Amino acid sequence: ASRAESAAEIRADLVAGVRGAQQPALVLGVQSDILFPVAQQREIAEILREAGNPHVTYYELDAMYGHDTFLIDVVNVGAAIKGHLENV
């Protein structure tokens, strides 16, 4: 018989799954994005850090365009990418 995994076990599996991803990583969250909520983006960044990646940058943008922010708000998205690239 199988049992449901606890949240801690699921998180441990996620950390183990990305342990080999040690390249610099940029995670962008947009506060108004309902497709990929910022809580999930923060969790991705945290999991990468827990897996030992010291080169994780997390930016959270306050834009009104939701998921389309990545296509529309080129100034702020571009600044986040530029900031990340300048620090790797």
Side-chain angles (χ1 to χ4, degrees):
S2 64
R3 61 176 180 78
E5 284 186 292
S6 71
E9 290 170 319
I10 292 169
R11 188 168 181 109
D13 287 345
L14 291 170
V15 169
V18 299
R19 198 161 308 279
Q22 295 298 310
Q23 66 277 5
L26 171 62
V27 182
L28 282 175
V30 178
Q31 291 177 357
S32 59
D33 188 343
I34 60 172
L35 295 175
F36 297 96
V38 290
Q40 289 177 346
Q41 304 312 307
R42 271 191 236 108
E43 184 179 25
I44 290 168
E46 291 167 4
I47 286 169
L48 287 165
R49 289 182 185 121
E50 283 179 41
N53 187 337
H55 307 291
V56 178
T57 303
Y58 174 74
Y59 281 103
E60 189 169 304
L61 303 174
D62 182 17
M64 63 182 177
Y65 309 113
H67 191 68
D68 288 343
T69 296
F70 298 101
L71 302 172
I72 296 170
D73 192 355
V74 295
V75 172
N76 288 316
V77 172
I81 294 169
K82 182 178 187 279
H84 171 69
L85 292 175
E86 289 176 345
N87 290 310
V88 292

